[in-house]
Amino acid sequence: DVKVTQSSRYLVKRTGEKVFLECVQDMDHENMFWYRQDPGLGLRLIYFSYDVKMKEKGDIPEGYSVSREKKERFSLILESASTNQTSMYLCASASPRQDSYNSPLHFGNGTRLTVT
Amino acid sequence: GQNIDQPTEMTATEGAIVQINCTYQTSGFNGLFWYQQHAGEAPTFLSYNVLDGLEEKGRFSSFLSRSKGYSYLLLKELQMKDSASYLCAVRAPREAGTALIFGKGTTLSVSS
């Protein structure tokens, strides 16, 4: 079974702090994604990565950056946390292989971040 | 732009059949996924459609019509544990590669 692990289940940070959300997957997947999930807005794509050191902006990248130094690890960084970044953050990974083009996303359990 | 629509809430009773609809307008299409998400948990994969037609998987079936930009998830013999949010997602091309774009989800409540 694919395992996607997010380092924290709950985080409380202050406005202006730099915040790191860590995600590790154990299936050697090339593709990794960060989403945030808010009531009434659903899951929205922040950033994704198709290879080490590679990153692509999703639909709402403003206020975020990412780091992919190793294949198994994809970090989301909030350079200066703001209250509107209070949300549930979900990391996911997937295999890009042609024979598994229908490969679904495998999600971590999420990090609920509160910025006060 | 990208737009995926599904009803916000639905209710049904145990043993019944429910159909959750999803319509999409995306710049490109590489498949449609359905996920189930129980409160406080991560989404889990239910089904995938890339060609028109019905895919059946036990009590759950998913249908796709690409010409209409339409899909539905059919849940039969409903059980209380089916109370959850159901997320429709389209794999769409991006500047580099593809990514899943999600609808806002349909919260299904199953009562006895």
Side-chain angles (χ1 to χ4, degrees):
Chain A
D1 265 2
V2 176
K3 191 162 185 186
V4 180
T5 303
Q6 294 184 229
S7 54
S8 302
R9 190 83 171 102
Y10 299 95
L11 271 181
V12 180
K13 296 291 181 181
R14 293 190 179 276
T15 302
E17 278 193 80
K18 189 169 186 175
V19 181
F20 292 86
L21 302 184
E22 307 287 348
C23 175
V24 176
Q25 50 93 5
D26 65 358
M27 278 301 291
D28 203 35
H29 284 167
E30 284 81 0
N31 301 349
M32 296 188 75
F33 305 81
W34 275 107
Y35 289 86
R36 63 178 281 178
Q37 186 172 32
D38 301 286
L41 296 177
L43 277 153
R44 293 179 291 166
L45 181 64
I46 305 171
Y47 265 98
F48 58 103
S49 170
Y50 284 99
D51 204 349
V52 175
K53 304 230 186 251
M54 178 272 184
K55 60 184 178 184
E56 292 291 331
K57 290 181 180 179
D59 297 317
I60 52 164
E62 297 78 18
Y64 303 95
S65 62
V66 290
S67 173
R68 185 104 182 261
E69 295 297 319
K70 293 185 178 181
K71 191 176 185 181
E72 67 271 18
R73 185 180 296 270
F74 191 35
S75 303
L76 181 69
I77 303 157
L78 288 67
E79 294 290 341
S80 177
S82 63
T83 54
N84 63 12
Q85 292 178 310
T86 292
S87 185
M88 172 67 85
Y89 290 87
L90 288 161
C91 175
S93 74
S95 169
R97 295 197 320 270
Q98 191 60 34
D99 62 350
S100 61
Y101 197 64
N102 61 344
S103 173
L105 294 182
H106 298 272
F107 286 90
N109 283 330
T111 297
R112 184 164 294 282
L113 172 67
T114 302
V115 183
T116 61
Chain B
Q2 320 273 40
N3 195 44
I4 300 174
D5 284 321
Q6 49 182 132
T8 304
E9 293 180 337
M10 297 184 73
T11 59
T13 53
E14 262 188 310
I17 299 173
V18 70
Q19 177 174 312
I20 303 175
N21 295 325
C22 171
T23 57
Y24 63 90
Q25 294 171 309
T26 56
S27 51
F29 177 84
N30 293 123
L32 187 142
F33 294 78
W34 283 95
Y35 284 80
Q36 180 189 59
Q37 185 178 25
H38 285 101
E41 297 182 10
T44 55
F45 169 70
L46 285 178
S47 69
Y48 169 76
N49 296 72
V50 68
L51 299 176
D52 291 351
L54 189 68
E55 295 282 341
E56 296 186 81
K57 214 188 232 188
R59 293 190 299 115
F60 292 4
S61 303
S62 56
F63 171 84
L64 175 67
S65 169
R66 288 171 295 168
S67 62
K68 295 181 179 176
Y70 168 70
S71 174
Y72 67 72
L73 180 69
L74 193 70
L75 294 77
K76 301 176 188 174
E77 301 169 15
L78 279 173
Q79 302 174 10
M80 297 292 285
K81 67 178 183 179
D82 297 328
S83 293
S85 283
Y86 291 86
L87 312 179
C88 174
V90 172
R91 192 196 297 276
R94 313 286 298 202
E95 287 185 11
T98 64
L100 288 195
I101 308 301
F102 284 84
K104 294 177 183 177
T106 299
T107 300
L108 173 66
S109 299
V110 180
S111 59
S112 55

